[in-house]
Amino acid sequence: MSALFEPYTLRSLTFPNRVWMPPMCQYSAAPDGPLTGAPTDWHFQHYGARAAGGTGLIIVEATGVSPEGRISPYDLGIWNDAQVEAFRRITAFLKSQGTVAGIQLGHAGRKASTDRPWKGGGPVGPEEHGWQAVAPSAIAFDERHAAPAELTADGIREIVGQFAEAARRSLDAGFEVAEIHGAHGYLIGQFLSPHSNHRTDEYGGSYENRTRFALEVVDAVRAVWPDELPLFFRISATDWLEGRAGWTADDTVLFASDLARHGVDLIDVSTGGNASGVRIPVGPGYQVPFAARVRNEAGVPAAAVGLITDAEQAEKILANGEADAILLGRELLRDPSFARRAARELGGAVHVPDQYHRSV
């Protein structure tokens, strides 16, 4: 059997294959009104097409645990019941196609309140539905961003509670995987890295202090997330700040073990996003070695992502023991039926809707 199409089980949940879709923001939710942050017809067709194409797990894009936690005013959120109800339509369709429905829960921190990428992605003010960003320290991400407000200890505790409440709502919405967003320079990643965290209290300074917020979030989510369902954590394995203070691959291997002890079942391994102007050696599979280190040095299941674009490449990563699953971003945007095509190439089996039987 092809490794890419071998089922995979975490806790009591079995994924039909290892072709997984990572979170990719669509910036297509309403910025105001009664359905602010709720998924729309765009989201339904976007995720539904990939499910009909045979994708084993779809992780819905970064979803704000509060209005201020969104990256942009056009991002999804899951802080109220109207959003939960809108998500149920999507999760029900994904399940009808044999796809596992996951959601990424996040808070953007100092990178919040920005415009859509195709509008330049710069910060937006109140006149454009924007708000005051918060962070571990009052340090702007780059010259375009204003300095965020430094979170108080009470503010940190409030956000921990928002993650837990968002996880509870996610379960009610029909999701079976929750992923905590600790990557790409958003709030949890900002706490992890000494590049962005200059605090001198119990949330800053040492490795133990800088990881405290992340582990408190994990504990709060795990407390409301069923024991039989898996919890993921997405991490940027390195800030790519060679020779400067930042989060490193060695930190990630150590932290992966900490996360596993707190109930995380799989690490979704990416890199970068916390420091502007860094040089990243982008190329095919450039982030796979970081996933391999998590899997083989920390002994924690890991998923690989980053310019993985063809079936043979994905198969080789799994066969070499570098990852337990493959997250295909750009390729699933290009080809919603990647899984079906890859199954033909590799001799694997994948769900095909009856309506598409002539495509087999």
Side-chain angles (χ1 to χ4, degrees), residues 18-338:
R18 316 222 189 176
V19 178
W20 293 359
M21 182 175 176
M24 292 178 285
C25 289
Q26 297 297 292
Y27 305 99
S28 297
D32 58 11
L35 291 177
T36 299
T40 65
D41 284 348
W42 174 263
H43 299 94
F44 180 83
Q45 70 78 29
H46 172 65
Y47 293 115
R50 278 80 194 165
T55 307
L57 165 68
I58 291 175
I59 306 176
V60 168
E61 62 205 77
T63 301
V65 299
S66 69
E68 299 77 23
R70 293 169 295 168
I71 301 167
S72 86
Y74 303 93
D75 281 321
L76 295 178
I78 194 160
W79 63 80
N80 65 41
D81 291 340
Q83 295 159 346
V84 170
E85 185 61 33
F87 273 120
R88 287 185 182 136
R89 180 185 178 213
I90 293 174
T91 59
F93 184 80
L94 267 55
K95 291 177 185 178
S96 77
Q97 302 304 302
T99 297
V100 174
I103 186 170
Q104 185 185 69
L105 303 176
H107 192 298
R110 68 177 183 173
K111 294 175 77 174
S113 189
T114 59
D115 208 344
R116 292 162 289 188
W118 54 87
K119 295 289 187 179
V124 295
E127 70 285 355
E128 298 176 276
H129 309 290
W131 58 90
Q132 170 69 61
V134 297
S137 302
I139 304 169
F141 173 66
D142 61 19
E143 64 279 357
R144 292 200 305 171
H145 289 71
E150 182 172 310
L151 280 164
T152 64
D154 286 343
I156 291 170
R157 284 190 288 271
E158 180 180 9
I159 292 173
V160 171
Q162 289 169 346
F163 269 94
E165 182 63 14
R168 187 192 65 76
R169 291 184 185 277
S170 297
L171 184 66
D172 192 26
F175 290 101
E176 295 181 289
V177 170
E179 175 172 276
I180 296 169
H181 196 356
H184 302 155
Y186 297 119
L187 185 62
I188 291 176
Q190 292 161 26
F191 270 92
L192 293 177
S193 174
H195 175 74
S196 46
N197 183 349
H198 293 189
R199 299 177 73 95
T200 57
D201 63 1
E202 67 269 31
Y203 291 98
S206 67
Y207 166 88
E208 289 74 18
N209 284 355
R210 286 184 284 108
T211 59
R212 187 183 308 277
F213 173 61
L215 294 177
E216 287 179 350
V217 169
V218 169
D219 289 343
V221 170
R222 189 74 263 183
V224 300
W225 196 246
D227 287 343
E228 66 270 19
L229 294 179
L231 176 63
F232 291 7
F233 190 100
R234 188 166 223 194
I235 196 164
S236 282
T238 176
D239 286 339
W240 296 106
L241 286 168
E242 303 301 330
R244 291 182 285 167
W247 187 259
T248 69
D250 289 341
D251 291 328
T252 295
V253 172
L254 178 62
F255 190 48
S257 297
D258 294 339
L259 290 169
R261 284 193 293 272
H262 285 256
V264 169
D265 301 289
L266 180 139
I267 313 294
D268 172 357
V269 185
S270 188
T271 65
N274 194 43
S276 64
V278 298
R279 298 186 64 179
I280 299 176
V282 175
Y286 71 104
Q287 295 177 144
V288 173
F290 299 100
R293 286 197 63 186
V294 167
R295 185 179 191 271
N296 298 315
E297 294 180 33
V300 180
V305 65
L307 290 184
I308 302 169
T309 58
D310 64 70
E312 289 187 2
Q313 179 191 16
E315 181 79 6
K316 184 177 180 180
I317 292 166
L318 295 174
N320 288 346
E322 296 174 286
D324 296 282
I326 305 296
L327 293 155
L328 298 116
R330 293 174 179 85
E331 197 57 32
L332 276 170
L333 292 181
R334 299 184 189 106
D335 181 3
S337 297
F338 173 90

